[in-house]
Amino acid sequence: MLKRLARQSAVPWVCQRCIQHSQRQRRWNSTISQAVARDPGPPKASRLYGLSTARAKEDDDALRNIFDSSSFWDDFSRASKNKPPTGIVGNRYLSTPEGFADFVTITLQRCNALVEKVARADTVEAYKGIVKELDRLSDLLCRVIDLADFVRGTHPDRKIQNAAHRAYAIMFQYMNQLNTTTVLNDQISKAVATPEVWDSWTEQERVVANILVEDFARSAINLPEDTRQRFVDLSGEIADVGTEFTERMSPETSYLKFDSKKMRGLEPNMARALTKWGETKVGTMNHEAQMALRYVEDADVRREIYMAVRTANKPSITRLETMLKSRAELAKLSGYDTFAHMTLENKMAKSPEAVNQFLGALIADNKHKVGQELEELLDLKKADALMDNYPDRINAWDRYYYTSKLLSSMDTKIRTPDFLSAYFSIGTVMQGLSRLFDRLYGIRLVPRETSPGEVWDDGVRRLDVVSDTDGHIAVLYCDLFSREGKTPNPAHFTLRCSREILASELEEMNQLNHPFSSPVEAATDGMPVTFNPQTNSYFQLPTIALICDFSRQRLRPTLLNFNDVRTLFHEMGHALHSFLGRTSLQNVSGTRCATDFAELPSVLMEHFASCPSVLGLFARHWETDAPLPMAALEKRLAIDIKTQPAETEAQILLAMLDQAYHSSLAASPDFDSTKVYHDVYNMHASIPEPAGTAWQGFFGHLFGYGATYYSYLFDRAIAGKIWRDVFQKESKSGSIERANGEKYKEEVLKWGGGRDGWKCIAGVLGDERLAQGGEEAMKEVGRWGVRDPGA
């Protein structure tokens, strides 16, 4: 849709209340005038049209040092203080908290003008431009909503947070009204139904047109008014109860108490901290519960803890079941058999039947490996001195304990979490990513000074993404160091998408009394653009923020453990998709693709993180400059490989449960989520789930990923296949060969969401049988299995 988020309103498309609210704020041009007054003029040609790649060696050294050397960073960032001020991420409206209101006001004016223009279309020529106009309308909404959402959750200044929150709320409400606007739906439907119009469109325009039509339909816009109102009400209820479900998940039992003598095996310092007067108190939702399951020798203690950590309380279960039943009703209102059918229609899977084909093939592929792992665990258990704990089987509460024993038999030096960290400073890893991207795609990460007000914390580094053929192609803000109040969760944020700036836009800007130095700046809020000589037009540069939470060190560089390295590679995989998926329409730019395709680039990047040829490009000791000992890495990877089958099975079971919850079962009057949970696990799990648990009350992903939880497994299977058949097919060094990178870029990355994912996969693998997708293609992907990095 215009922006595919919640749809909760059905009022007319002209939002006078939003406009009136914004007009009570300061006039929009006041903030801009102040910012422009301090700007000496338009950007220099090198900044506006592209950046030189002549200083590759200096840029490469600086990239490592701006992250690893505090003295270098102080010198590097000093130049920033002499640059003219700007707003957050270069948006010149956002130089003050009040600028958010200005940003909203002018955006609403531009949106309303576009809506009126679309509504007036009544000729073939006018209808030919409707997709681009609606995509532009979507871009205007996303510029405010995405950026405001990021700022309100990331910026440390409370005034700026509040201003961003107000901007988000106003534009979100306006967007929801547009998403149920019949005139927009009618006009795009007429355009799609006109052969002369459809034939004039590019493949990308047709994809976006279909997205808009399908999403309008899913918002109940074609239903009778009373039914549509019920749809809107249900959507709101689902959003409310779903949020409450994820935020208030709680266990039936919060704490357990044991005689301290029964806690043998638990780490001594932890045991002492939890023990008072001979009694050890274990919080079931805390870290100590997981540690007890891994190390406490007493099987009865482990069983009691397992049951507690796998059992949510009744209110959590009730909220979950309310959400699932409401989703089932919503799907029926919209004419679908189930919520899964409704959700999967525009995904690669297309149907729940296809998803189940995939999951069935995947669990069959994984079954033998899980069986081998259980045999090893059972051998350990039989050799255990404690023979009264069902010695001939592995119980659910045994798995973590004996897996820990299995891993402890491996090289203890390698098991030390930070053994390899000395070879992975943040700067070294970022340098390695840039070198890898340069080898594969001809793009580099170039450090750039920021202007005052551009970043939200002194620890944020700006990198410009520079192509050896296309010049400046993207802007990346790296917020990698931890600080108080910052989210610990790694994330990739698209703050602005790629999009071609239409000539008609620049003409419109010339008609406005704007304070910017050029129509291009006015059209893009002062943020960077590039010029494409092939289309003779300007493009917005993708603007990305990458968030991690690595602890900053004072006397040495911040060193990453190997899981951190994988995390950084994973998030940069999303960023890479945004860098190279520079489409002319923002609706399909970069990561704006089908949910079950979006994780492919990031998961594939994890394979590069484990590849010796890639690590040889950069992994060196921060003090001695010695290269990473590959034998040690192989032993480290062996630990992950050992536990992979069980972890894969756990993910398959969750994906199966997700499908069951969004099937026709949820529409039954006697729907019981606990019974369904046990049915799924007892039918497919290698170790039966004990009666009495109700873990589904902790399955928070059911809200955000309803009916699509399979996506990560799906993309892991595809990524493993591409890794083997493209990057490793000819030789182990294929992971750094330009021909392989170009093939992957041309068939997958450059399309963003503008090409059907199955065609992308068929193209990169050279297998046209996959091009049309369907149940058999889903089953084939399941047969490939999950082969994680290093396997």
Side-chain angles (χ1 to χ4, degrees):
M1 205 170 299
L2 296 175
K3 188 174 197 303
R4 281 164 276 170
L5 294 170
R7 309 153 180 110
Q8 301 173 7
S9 180
V11 300
W13 58 265
V14 178
C15 179
Q16 294 298 331
R17 182 168 55 180
C18 289
I19 296 173
Q20 290 166 2
H21 177 87
S22 297
Q23 287 175 342
R24 287 197 294 268
Q25 310 296 330
R26 298 169 65 247
R27 294 299 300 165
W28 71 272
N29 58 357
S30 59
T31 301
I32 288 296
S33 297
Q34 294 173 17
V36 173
R38 294 187 293 262
D39 195 318
K44 295 179 181 178
S46 62
R47 186 174 128 208
L48 186 61
Y49 301 117
L51 295 171
S52 168
T53 61
R55 300 179 64 256
K57 177 64 169 64
E58 293 87 340
D59 292 340
D60 185 64
D61 292 340
L63 180 59
R64 177 175 179 174
N65 286 324
I66 64 168
F67 290 99
D68 283 355
S69 171
S70 56
S71 60
F72 184 93
W73 172 245
D74 288 342
D75 290 339
F76 184 89
S77 58
R78 191 170 293 121
S80 301
K81 298 178 174 60
N82 299 322
K83 297 181 73 174
T86 187
I88 299 169
V89 299
N91 183 311
R92 279 195 274 163
Y93 289 101
L94 308 184
S95 59
T96 67
E98 294 78 14
F100 281 92
D102 298 340
F103 191 25
V104 167
T105 300
I106 191 61
T107 300
L108 286 173
Q109 291 176 4
R110 294 175 68 183
C111 285
N112 281 330
L114 267 177
V115 171
E116 292 172 1
K117 183 177 181 180
V118 170
R120 288 196 306 267
D122 59 359
T123 66
V124 168
E125 286 305 310
Y127 280 122
K128 287 180 180 179
I130 273 185
V131 169
K132 290 184 177 179
E133 299 294 3
L134 287 177
D135 185 75
R136 179 181 159 200
L137 177 60
S138 176
D139 181 61
L140 287 169
L141 294 167
C142 292
R143 285 191 209 176
V144 181
I145 291 174
D146 290 342
L147 186 50
D149 191 33
F150 171 77
V151 169
R152 68 177 181 168
T154 307
H155 204 288
D157 188 311
R158 183 58 61 86
K159 290 183 179 179
I160 291 177
Q161 289 177 17
N162 292 338
H165 181 77
R166 288 193 295 271
Y168 177 90
I170 293 169
M171 294 305 296
F172 191 85
Q173 179 188 14
Y174 180 76
M175 175 198 69
N176 283 334
Q177 292 161 356
L178 291 181
N179 282 341
T180 52
T181 297
T182 56
V183 66
L184 298 181
N185 174 63
D186 292 345
Q187 291 292 70
I188 186 64
S189 297
K190 288 177 184 176
V192 168
T194 304
E196 188 177 350
V197 174
W198 179 264
D199 292 342
S200 73
W201 285 341
T202 64
E203 180 181 0
Q204 196 178 120
E205 286 175 295
R206 292 174 183 175
V207 169
V208 172
N210 282 328
I211 288 172
L212 293 169
V213 170
E214 290 171 2
D215 283 349
F216 271 124
R218 269 189 291 274
S219 71
I221 204 163
N222 296 317
L223 297 178
E225 186 173 349
D226 57 340
T227 307
R228 192 193 320 170
Q229 188 56 51
R230 178 57 183 157
F231 179 97
V232 172
D233 293 342
L234 269 176
S235 298
E237 292 168 13
I238 291 168
D240 292 341
V241 75
T243 300
E244 190 177 9
F245 167 63
T246 57
E247 292 179 351
R248 298 183 62 187
M249 293 183 295
S250 299
E252 187 70 24
T253 304
S254 298
Y255 291 93
L256 295 171
K257 295 180 180 180
F258 302 96
D259 185 324
S260 61
K261 295 177 183 177
K262 293 186 174 183
M263 302 304 289
R264 182 178 175 184
L266 189 63
E267 198 277 322
N269 289 329
M270 176 176 285
R272 280 193 293 270
L274 300 174
T275 301
K276 188 175 183 180
W277 306 113
E279 190 175 65
T280 303
K281 185 178 180 181
V282 177
T284 57
M285 294 294 285
N286 299 336
H287 177 59
E288 61 257 24
Q290 301 301 321
M291 296 298 288
L293 286 172
R294 284 176 170 82
Y295 299 113
V296 170
E297 296 176 1
D298 191 308
D300 291 332
V301 170
R302 295 201 308 271
R303 180 184 183 282
E304 192 171 344
I305 293 174
Y306 181 89
M307 296 295 292
V309 301
R310 299 283 294 187
T311 306
N313 66 7
K314 289 179 176 57
S316 295
I317 303 297
T318 299
R319 285 188 283 269
L320 171 62
E321 292 180 351
T322 299
M323 179 183 74
L324 295 175
K325 290 176 182 177
S326 295
R327 281 178 168 173
E329 182 183 351
L330 189 79
K332 288 293 185 183
L333 278 177
S334 303
Y336 293 91
D337 290 340
T338 68
F339 185 81
H341 284 93
M342 176 180 173
T343 300
L344 296 172
E345 182 182 51
N346 64 345
K347 307 298 186 293
M348 287 181 67
K350 300 300 182 188
S351 71
E353 292 79 14
V355 173
N356 288 324
Q357 288 277 9
F358 162 70
L359 294 174
L362 195 61
I363 203 163
D365 173 80
N366 194 58
K367 187 174 183 179
H368 176 66
K369 288 173 281 188
V370 174
Q372 289 181 319
E373 180 184 339
L374 288 180
E375 286 180 11
E376 291 187 77
L377 300 184
L378 189 56
D379 288 342
L380 285 173
K381 185 173 182 179
K382 288 178 177 179
D384 201 316
L386 303 174
M387 297 296 291
D388 57 345
N389 176 32
Y390 307 98
D392 294 325
R393 72 170 189 247
I394 294 293
N395 298 301
W397 54 88
D398 292 330
R399 178 169 234 155
Y400 297 111
Y401 177 71
Y402 288 105
T403 298
S404 294
K405 278 185 169 293
L406 183 65
L407 296 181
S408 69
S409 66
M410 302 174 76
D411 193 319
T412 55
K413 184 178 181 182
I414 302 304
R415 287 198 312 115
T416 304
D418 59 355
F419 173 75
L420 299 176
S421 296
Y423 300 89
F424 296 119
S425 69
I426 287 187
T428 300
V429 176
M430 294 300 296
Q431 189 180 54
L433 284 161
S434 182
R435 291 173 177 177
L436 175 64
F437 291 165
D438 189 29
R439 292 284 189 102
L440 292 177
Y441 314 113
I443 63 174
R444 296 186 294 108
L445 306 177
V446 179
R448 284 287 178 260
E449 303 93 343
T450 56
S451 297
E454 185 176 350
V455 295
W456 50 97
D457 184 83
D458 290 341
V460 178
R461 276 53 165 165
R462 170 177 167 165
L463 305 178
D464 283 349
V465 185
V466 180
S467 164
D468 56 11
T469 55
D470 299 329
H472 190 191
I473 62 171
V475 177
L476 174 67
Y477 291 95
C478 296
D479 185 356
L480 305 184
F481 299 109
S482 60
R483 61 177 178 273
E484 187 177 354
K486 181 182 177 182
T487 176
N489 300 318
H492 159 278
F493 292 88
T494 301
L495 305 181
R496 188 178 66 163
C497 289
S498 166
R499 184 180 67 86
E500 183 180 12
I501 301 168
L502 307 178
S504 59
E505 271 181 84
L506 301 184
E507 293 173 7
E508 291 171 13
M509 291 299 106
N510 266 331
Q511 304 304 315
L512 293 178
N513 183 25
H514 64 76
F516 288 96
S517 57
S518 71
V520 176
E521 286 193 353
T524 59
D525 314 318
M527 294 175 69
V529 297
T530 189
F531 185 77
N532 187 337
Q534 294 179 336
T535 60
N536 195 35
S537 58
Y538 293 95
F539 273 69
Q540 295 177 171
L541 290 185
T543 302
I544 308 301
L546 196 153
I547 307 294
C548 289
D549 193 44
F550 304 135
S551 298
R552 193 197 307 253
Q553 302 297 319
R554 291 184 178 181
L555 302 179
R556 60 171 174 77
T558 292
L559 306 179
L560 307 181
N561 63 44
F562 195 66
N563 282 336
D564 292 335
V565 175
R566 279 183 175 155
T567 295
L568 198 48
F569 267 66
H570 179 99
E571 298 303 333
M572 283 295 290
H574 286 306
L576 179 68
H577 205 180
S578 296
F579 300 158
L580 297 179
R582 290 176 292 121
T583 57
S584 60
L585 298 176
Q586 72 90 32
N587 261 291
V588 290
S589 170
T591 57
R592 298 197 176 206
C593 54
T595 305
D596 48 5
F597 194 64
E599 290 290 336
L600 173 59
S602 56
V603 174
L604 181 59
M605 278 298 294
E606 294 183 36
H607 287 270
F608 287 96
S610 304
C611 177
S613 296
V614 174
L615 293 169
L617 295 176
F618 71 95
R620 308 188 75 82
H621 197 282
W622 72 276
E623 272 188 309
T624 66
D625 207 38
L628 174 73
M630 291 302 170
L633 174 68
E634 290 173 2
K635 291 180 179 180
R636 170 63 181 79
L637 292 174
I639 295 173
D640 294 338
I641 294 168
K642 203 72 172 175
T643 59
Q644 178 195 320
E647 292 173 358
T648 299
E649 182 186 73
Q651 291 299 308
I652 296 171
L653 291 170
L654 292 178
M656 287 180 163
L657 184 63
D658 174 42
Q659 290 301 306
Y661 280 160
H662 293 98
S663 70
S664 58
L665 294 173
S668 173
D670 58 351
F671 173 63
D672 182 343
S673 66
T674 301
K675 181 181 183 304
V676 174
Y677 165 64
H678 281 276
D679 287 347
V680 169
Y681 274 66
N682 291 333
M683 183 178 296
H684 299 288
S686 58
I687 299 176
E689 180 74 352
T693 59
W695 182 85
Q696 76 275 14
F698 298 123
F699 194 1
H701 284 92
L702 286 171
F703 177 45
Y705 293 87
T708 62
Y709 192 79
Y710 71 91
S711 299
Y712 188 61
L713 282 167
F714 182 63
D715 287 338
R716 282 171 66 189
I718 297 171
K721 182 72 169 176
I722 293 174
W723 178 251
R724 296 190 301 274
D725 289 9
V726 176
F727 288 98
Q728 298 287 283
K729 185 175 183 179
E730 299 296 332
S731 69
K732 294 296 182 182
S733 63
S735 54
I736 54 175
E737 290 179 4
R738 183 66 173 266
N740 294 334
E742 286 294 323
K743 182 177 184 179
Y744 176 55
K745 179 179 74 174
E746 290 299 313
E747 296 291 349
V748 178
L749 293 174
K750 81 170 188 178
W751 296 93
R755 184 191 200 189
D756 183 88
W758 287 111
K759 292 182 180 179
C760 292
I761 295 170
V764 73
L765 293 177
D767 187 350
E768 283 304 310
R769 295 175 303 164
L770 299 169
Q772 301 306 312
E775 290 185 26
E776 188 54 40
M778 289 289 291
K779 190 174 183 179
E780 175 64 18
V781 175
R783 293 190 193 104
W784 297 343
V786 171
R787 304 292 185 270
D788 276 353

